[in-house]
Amino acid sequence: MAGRNENSKRAVLEATSEMLSDATVQQLSIEAIAKRAGVGKTTIYRWWPNKSAVVIDAFMEHHLIHTPIPDDVPVREALVTHVTSLVEQYAGPGGRLVAQLIAESQYDEQILTAFRERFWNGRRAAVLELVKRGVREGELRDDTDAELMVELVYSPVYVRLLLGYRELDREFARAVVDAAFAGIAPATAKTSPGKKRARRITRS
Amino acid sequence: MAGRNENSKRAVLEATSEMLSDATVQQLSIEAIAKRAGVGKTTIYRWWPNKSAVVIDAFMEHHLIHTPIPDDVPVREALVTHVTSLVEQYAGPGGRLVAQLIAESQYDEQILTAFRERFWNGRRAAVLELVKRGVREGELRDDTDAELMVELVYSPVYVRLLLGYRELDREFARAVVDAAFAGIAPATAKTSPGKKRARRITRS
Amino acid sequence: MAGRNENSKRAVLEATSEMLSDATVQQLSIEAIAKRAGVGKTTIYRWWPNKSAVVIDAFMEHHLIHTPIPDDVPVREALVTHVTSLVEQYAGPGGRLVAQLIAESQYDEQILTAFRERFWNGRRAAVLELVKRGVREGELRDDTDAELMVELVYSPVYVRLLLGYRELDREFARAVVDAAFAGIAPATAKTSPGKKRARRITRS
Amino acid sequence: MAGRNENSKRAVLEATSEMLSDATVQQLSIEAIAKRAGVGKTTIYRWWPNKSAVVIDAFMEHHLIHTPIPDDVPVREALVTHVTSLVEQYAGPGGRLVAQLIAESQYDEQILTAFRERFWNGRRAAVLELVKRGVREGELRDDTDAELMVELVYSPVYVRLLLGYRELDREFARAVVDAAFAGIAPATAKTSPGKKRARRITRS
DNA sequence: CGATAAACGAGACGGTACGTCTGGTCTTGTG
DNA sequence: CACAAGACCAGACGTACCGTCTCGTTTATCG
């Protein structure tokens, strides 16, 4: 039995990676990747179901985004650090690629799944951990909805990435984290919201 | 331009609209639209720069999403109503289409612009107005960052739409609005956050 | 309606014709023809069902074989002249091509039909005419089976062409015609063959 | 040493033989043969240079055509018997295969050689023998061109096989042999043809 | 009788070409 | 005389096989 040739795999991912710096995912073609990698098209189709799968793998190998979460500072600051570095990386070429992967996901359930598993879930887990610490150390309310927290913190980043609505910068990162921690109702409000808020924000 | 072409235009948009109920934007082809509309390909290219532009127009004509914002209830409730109806519409077939338009936007600046102008800005303006009212009526702090508010409220909706991370439902709509209004730090906190929060959340 | 572009057609046939001088029909590819002709593959597939059809057309336009049949000499001599010139042309590059067309015919009924109609039937008709004259002028027996005559005269030529069994030359052309006219039984034979022959050779 | 595995060889030929009843030589692929035979492609390439070689071997083993030539009847009748049985076999599925082998021969000199050696030469030798007997026993003229005889008798059969010009049947077999023995000039002719014929028909 | 080297099955590899599809442009005949 | 109809060039799609090339795994002498 033959077994997979690691050289081919590497060549494909490398070629893809290189080409992605000049072209969009849509512009890439399996044919061009194969030619650039010096590999038969069949070899690509043998190991990947489609173009986006190749792109995801290439991205994971060469463009991996590292977003450290310090654990020796208050949770809020740790989050700011984390989101800031995420934002900074998404502001570069890697961001365009991630946006395109999300685009491809709209047409292929498998890409969507892969994207969620390889990008979203990793970060989500880190934030969940962080929230747990925050609760433990009293920095967050006991009934904090951690999952919602994940979405509150990341969603604006992804929307800016996708819609280019406004700049992806550190200011923005801090504002988002602050908002997630604070809310914007008048600090003096003594009305029901105070209580309701706690209830509402908790998700089953 | 001859009167004749209004018919063609309408036929194209109608054909596109019909076909979109069975197919993704990617699956549509100018060729197929032309055939179904009984129109020459040239005619389409004369009036629209590309497929996505046709789709946007078709969507605006036939699938328009209405998300009322009541003005006789507290801002927070008005927002909940608004986001809830948005979420409900995005949970249906219209949502899939919007997601695909965002996807197409990643590959064409013009689509992105069109999308922002026709979808995002409309809602954004409504929310800005609402925030203004909230400030005026004392329901929101004077220094509320209205633009940030827009993002805080909509982003999680779009991210769930695109990543299908969790269900798009009314629970979620309310939770998101509540979060935007509240924040999740301990209610009893007397620390700096109180003041810092105000400063931080304000954007220059 | 658009209507066929004569330039494209000509370019395809010319390219095919040129390439056929260096390559076998099997070695030709639609892709290569399209490239050489500066034409889209689609255009070829639009007008011809397959490679062999293109080759037949190209051959008819550029390599056509002319085999005159004089009508002012005895039928036998006219036939010798005709077969000789056929043989001489088949001995050249045109012969290889005809052989390959017969080969292709084994895999495609349409090619076979086209081949018979465009090559075989033309010659056959000429020989039938000739036989008619021969009978009229008393050079051939009244009951001559003209169709059989066609086969007797051409078959050995085609078999030598295909099997390369022996040289295709003028000697051979004359021998074949003579044989068709003569037979090889002893001239002195007084046996039944004389009569039977007449009956047998006539086909219903 | 491992030694050649006769099982593999047999399996390949058997698989080929079976597949040939449903498919043309062109449609067969080494890959399919290997799979059907439960054999590695390498094994096939080790023992045969190409597809046609496998087909020839398979044909020789399973579809061999037997065409008896009786030696106790006049040569003419013996020939009729022989050609009749040849014609009858070629009218069946074996004929299609032989035609395809001739087709393949146009693209590969080795196939042509193999075909001539294994099919043509055998029959040719038998006919040569027969002609020798005919001359010895006075049934044929001394100067009979035996090689030409071979071609005269077989060519029409092969041409009908390849071009499907008309039916391959016993009528035809007899007509061809008669023609070879007789010629078609008027029986009463006392002119030169009688002598010329003899001269002409003799080949150096 | 156990080592050893061939031939073996499996199947991955770099390639070529297939026939189809769509994109975006150009051409033509018709209503 | 505008426009539907559709032909045009271009080139990617995903598939089928090509002939070569490892891979372990039989096997079947021969040392």
Side-chain angles (χ1 to χ4, degrees), chain C residues 104 106-107 116 124 139 141 147 149 151 160 162-163 165-166 178 180 182 184-186 197 200-201, chain D residues 104 106-107 116 139 141 147 149 151 160 162-165 178 180-182 184-185 197 200-201:
Chain C
E104 298 301 315
Q106 304 314 305
Y107 296 113
R116 273 209 306 251
R124 172 175 157 273
E139 197 177 344
R141 276 199 307 273
E147 290 283 1
M149 185 76 167
E151 288 182 275
R160 282 210 179 181
L162 288 161
L163 300 190
Y165 164 59
R166 293 173 73 191
D178 280 351
I184 53 185
R197 174 208 313 162
R200 286 283 156 56
I201 217 162
Chain D
E104 297 302 315
Q106 304 314 306
Y107 296 113
R116 272 209 307 251
E139 197 177 343
R141 276 201 306 275
E147 290 283 1
M149 185 75 166
E151 288 183 274
R160 283 209 179 182
L162 288 161
L163 299 190
Y165 164 59
D178 280 351
F181 268 72
I184 53 184
R197 178 207 313 163
R200 287 279 156 58
I201 216 163

Side-chain angles (χ1 to χ4, degrees), chain D:
Chain D
M1 273 178 227
R4 172 170 188 167
N5 183 345
E6 278 309 317
N7 287 343
S8 302
K9 209 183 162 181
R10 191 162 39 251
V12 167
L13 296 182
E14 212 136 302
T16 304
S17 208
E18 286 163 24
M19 299 172 82
L20 276 174
S21 55
D22 295 341
T24 67
V25 172
Q26 211 169 62
Q27 283 160 354
L28 273 195
S29 73
I30 294 274
E31 217 139 77
I33 293 173
K35 181 157 284 181
R36 159 88 91 132
V39 141
K41 278 203 285 180
T42 330
T43 302
I44 298 185
Y45 283 112
R46 183 156 28 239
W47 301 111
W48 291 275
N50 53 50
K51 185 173 65 180
S52 310
V54 181
V55 171
I56 285 191
D57 278 7
F59 186 71
M60 298 298 293
E61 296 232 324
H62 292 274
H63 297 264
L64 204 46
I65 285 176
H66 297 290
T67 47
I69 305 191
D71 58 359
D72 53 358
V73 298
V75 165
R76 185 205 283 245
E77 279 315 307
L79 250 191
V80 168
T81 302
H82 170 62
V83 175
T84 298
S85 88
L86 183 66
V87 147
E88 281 176 343
Q89 301 210 49
Y90 278 177
R96 222 192 63 230
L97 226 163
V98 168
Q100 289 170 15
L101 284 177
I102 296 175
E104 297 302 315
S105 299
Q106 304 314 306
Y107 296 113
D108 185 334
E109 189 68 34
Q110 292 186 347
I111 306 299
L112 178 54
T113 302
F115 180 84
R116 272 209 307 251
E117 283 171 1
R118 304 223 217 163
F119 288 76
W120 187 268
N121 286 349
R123 309 198 193 298
R124 171 175 158 274
V127 171
L128 290 184
E129 204 52 51
L130 206 55
V131 169
K132 213 177 290 177
R133 169 156 81 88
V135 169
R136 201 184 327 116
E137 299 178 356
E139 197 177 343
L140 292 174
R141 276 201 306 275
D142 292 356
D143 58 0
T144 301
D145 181 337
E147 290 283 1
L148 184 62
M149 185 75 166
V150 170
E151 288 183 274
L152 288 178
V153 162
Y154 288 133
S155 294
V157 173
Y158 279 95
V159 165
R160 283 209 179 182
L161 171 65
L162 288 161
L163 299 190
Y165 164 59
R166 293 174 74 192
E167 280 292 304
L168 262 177
D169 54 25
R170 2 176 92 239
E171 291 286 324
F172 174 63
R174 181 166 289 272
V176 163
V177 172
D178 280 351
F181 268 72
I184 53 184
T188 57
K190 329 176 150 100
T191 50
S192 47
K195 290 229 132 130
K196 275 172 80 177
R197 178 207 313 163
R199 240 177 288 127
R200 287 279 156 58
I201 216 163
T202 304
R203 290 181 50 86
S204 55

